[in-house]
Amino acid sequence: MGVVNVMATPVPSKTEYTSVDASSNNSPSTTSSGDCKVQPTPFVIPSLQQWDGGKGEWKISKNTRLVIDPKYAKGISLDSEHSVMVNPANLQDYAATFKAEIKEVTGLDVTVVVDSKPKKDDIFLTLGADAKDSSLNQEGYLLDIGKKGVTVQAVTSRGAFWGTRTLLQMLILADENDFALPQGSARDYPNYNERLTMHDIARKPVPLSDIKEYATMTSFFKYNTQQLHFNDNPGLQTKKLMPDWQTKYSGFRLKSDNEKFAKYANADASYTKQEMREYQDFIKTHGVDLIPEIDLPAHSLAFTKHHPEWSIQSDTVRGDWLDLGNPEVQQFTKDLWTEFGGWFDAKHLSIGADEYDATKGDLARAFVNDMHDFIAAKFNKTVRMWGSDTQLPGTIDIDTDILTVHWDWTYSNPVDLIKRGHKVTNLNAPDCYLVPRSQSYEDFIDEQKVYELWEPWVFDILDRANASRNVDPNEPLLAGGGFANWIDFLSESVTRVEIYDRLSKAAGAYAEKLWTGAKNSDKVAYEHWAPLAKKLRENIPGITLDRRPESKGQFLVSYDFEDGSVKDDSGNNYDGKLNNGAKVVDIGEGHGKAVQLTADSFITTPLESIRYPYAIGMWVKPNGEQKADAVLLESGDGKVLISNSTSPTITFEQDGNRYNTQIVLPPNTWSHIAFSADGTKTSVFYNMRRQAIVHYFNPRWDQLRNETMLLTGPINTIGSKSGNSVDGLIDGFFVLNRASYGGEMAFLGKHYANALP
């Protein structure tokens, strides 16, 4: 991923910072960041707790090495003590991650060495910071950038990795300064131990490659915990009102080779034990702990559809509620965790335990405690659950060793839980809930609201001063917080690329408050913070889901084929290639030259897809005979079909879902087809006039309406590599990196042809 040319600026503040020399244990000194003789505080997310500016710059170069202190190369015992994962990554693991990122950002292929004597061009990673220093909070680090090189020193290996996140962000923002970094010293540490993102991967099939990118992106902002919600289903009505409840979609994403459990895994996406092993090994090297969640006894349609006798035997309740009074169910829940609990390195497991039958409070409370005891004995792991005690009234006390993830005041009172000795993480809805297409929660997180008003101790953002609704910022039982991404309206409601877009736009503001609190947001206005936050999130190494290719101008791609090739006239040099017999032919008809495709031939581009906003268009003259589902455009994100298996209409396919239009391209006739996504909808243009807006039908019982759909533009091939291309002529293919509308479409169509229909 290239770095966008935006001038980086220091934190726009003249407030004094208390800081420390990272190469020693000297007492902090105070330096004014407004003093022109010293370097101001560099901008990073989350912002630095303390900075002591120097008077020069240090520049990374071809001679730079990543030097690992041999005393700590393989990590230390504190690494495991302060991680939710067993066998956490060490300095060598983290250095390998940082090396690849430096190359992507700067183009420099630095060397990783184990050596106790770093040189002036080197970045030295070491441990040995004072473990008794409570302010370093196990994950804090000391950073020194000086004439003798760069040193990152921490209490734990993960703390040192967070120091490399600071350096990485500084490099990204120094792209116009030849990657020169300001000299100075930082003392940086998180205010909260748990900085969490939660991902609902049950109600939409998501490849592990996407989830890796979620972890890569969030660790860039120093999140240390990822919770994966492995099973769920859409909200159901009672069995009486929804007699077909067993036919509804459900997701269970863990694929066992044990026949007893294999039947529960989804065919559209599920992960084997080996895949989860490889995934955990990957995210460890990004400083992230994985907490697996199997949500029981509610949200369990993946199990009750196979065993309806395990559901509560009443027409007045939902079919996805397991009957905890059934001994077979009690045994099944233990067998399920026996099968899958050992797949995970986490010392914590989530059993869900929310939104269950409120008339069975004590039964549910007993279940939670029983699962806690079972998992502790079986795996020596700690149980966590979604806040549920208020909604499940009873006389049985829930064990205080169980961590509660608070999500809604209707279901739990976080202030009361803490008073009763429960450890709590703050994912309070709606402030921490991202639910695409929702009418009740935020479709996109309000970044400014989070930046200016939210903090982990705030459980009521509208009444922050109310002690009965919020807790002390230094409350020891407040573990931390973060945000959750829920796919309440199933796969067809949102694309994979849209999900990443929402996550990346939310992560920075929460990270700021989880690590530094209001120290920075009270001084730096959101309008100064937001542009630099945008530049950082758009340049995170290792990310492909952003799907915004670089462009020198508004045209990303422009092929007119007039020189007999697929030369890109946009100035971006995204030249295409003719494959399997595709050829440029001189056809006249007002089009000059065009490309002739058959079912087996296609054009490839060096691009994959483009995320909104965009406009894509072309002239097409299809022959009379087409294969079913003939492909006009294709990428790994989806397809544009000239017809579908049931009708000859333009059809969009994304993430396995199809979205039909009523537009038919007549055979043996030139037609102009284009589509444009503007951030709220995808418009389809036929012969330069908008003829359709892409919709999907929201089938959830409490929705039942058409919704506009945002589609990712597939531009990897014109035609298809699978032998199913449109058979006919293609001319005037273009991609704009912004949306377009009817009048402009007419101009674009005329640009590529002398004759219009």
Side-chain angles (χ1 to χ4, degrees), residues 177-250:
N177 193 31
D178 201 22
F179 303 109
L181 305 184
Q183 292 187 16
S185 299
R187 177 187 181 85
D188 199 22
Y189 48 87
N191 287 347
Y192 295 95
N193 287 332
E194 182 165 287
R195 302 176 301 283
L196 170 71
T197 59
M198 198 294 311
H199 304 280
D200 175 4
I201 59 172
R203 288 179 284 194
K204 180 178 178 67
V206 180
L208 273 179
S209 58
D210 285 14
I211 309 173
K212 284 182 178 180
E213 292 199 24
Y214 301 168
T216 298
M217 181 271 293
T218 56
S219 79
F220 179 80
F221 295 115
K222 300 187 176 79
Y223 288 84
N224 64 358
T225 309
Q226 181 188 76
Q227 182 168 322
L228 294 182
H229 184 75
F230 283 116
N231 70 292
D232 213 329
N233 45 266
L236 303 181
Q237 294 176 285
T238 64
K239 293 180 181 179
K240 183 177 181 179
L241 294 174
M242 189 178 281
D244 61 344
W245 60 272
Q246 287 177 260
T247 67
K248 302 302 180 182
Y249 185 86
S250 63

Side-chain angles (χ1 to χ4, degrees), residues 524-594:
V524 180
Y526 174 76
E527 56 263 30
H528 295 301
W529 181 88
L532 293 175
K534 181 176 184 290
K535 178 174 180 178
L536 286 176
R537 73 168 176 262
E538 290 178 351
N539 291 281
I540 301 172
I543 298 299
T544 66
L545 283 170
D546 184 62
R547 300 293 199 266
R548 291 295 294 175
E550 290 187 28
S551 183
K552 295 177 181 178
Q554 58 186 326
F555 276 92
L556 180 68
V557 173
S558 177
Y559 301 151
D560 66 11
F561 312 118
E562 290 305 309
D563 68 349
S565 71
V566 193
K567 181 179 180 297
D568 178 19
D569 294 323
S570 71
N572 293 316
N573 297 318
Y574 293 135
D575 295 343
K577 181 181 178 182
L578 301 168
N579 299 272
N580 282 19
K583 58 185 178 181
V584 177
V585 294
D586 193 344
I587 47 87
E589 301 178 6
H591 285 267
K593 293 180 179 178

Side-chain angles (χ1 to χ4, degrees), residues 79-217:
D79 289 345
S80 181
E81 292 175 24
H82 297 299
S83 170
V84 176
M85 302 278 269
V86 298
N87 302 317
N90 55 49
L91 288 184
Q92 286 188 305
D93 298 323
Y94 289 133
T97 299
F98 191 30
K99 167 187 167 67
E101 294 166 331
I102 289 174
K103 184 173 184 180
E104 187 168 340
V105 170
T106 70
L108 296 171
D109 191 7
V110 300
T111 302
V112 177
V113 298
V114 177
D115 195 340
S116 59
K117 296 179 180 180
K119 300 175 183 178
K120 68 176 183 177
D121 290 319
D122 293 340
I123 299 171
F124 185 51
L125 304 180
T126 185
L127 304 182
D130 188 359
K132 296 180 181 179
D133 185 348
S134 59
S135 70
L136 286 181
N137 209 16
Q138 294 94 49
E139 292 185 74
Y141 63 92
L142 306 171
L143 171 65
D144 184 69
I145 305 172
K147 294 180 180 179
K148 296 182 179 180
V150 176
T151 297
V152 179
Q153 184 183 35
V155 175
T156 63
S157 297
R158 181 153 59 179
F161 182 66
W162 301 141
T164 69
R165 304 304 82 193
T166 294
L167 289 170
L168 181 62
Q169 292 189 17
M170 290 172 70
L171 287 169
I172 289 171
L173 295 178
D175 61 323
E176 290 194 348
N177 193 31
D178 201 22
F179 303 109
L181 305 184
Q183 292 187 16
S185 299
R187 177 187 181 85
D188 199 22
Y189 48 87
N191 287 347
Y192 295 95
N193 287 332
E194 182 165 287
R195 302 176 301 283
L196 170 71
T197 59
M198 198 294 311
H199 304 280
D200 175 4
I201 59 172
R203 288 179 284 194
K204 180 178 178 67
V206 180
L208 273 179
S209 58
D210 285 14
I211 309 173
K212 284 182 178 180
E213 292 199 24
Y214 301 168
T216 298
M217 181 271 293

Side-chain angles (χ1 to χ4, degrees), residues 150 155 159 236 259 267 313 323 484 501 525 536 635 710:
V150 176
V155 175
L236 303 181
E259 289 185 8
Q313 299 301 295
D323 181 3
D501 183 47
L536 286 176
S635 78
L710 267 176

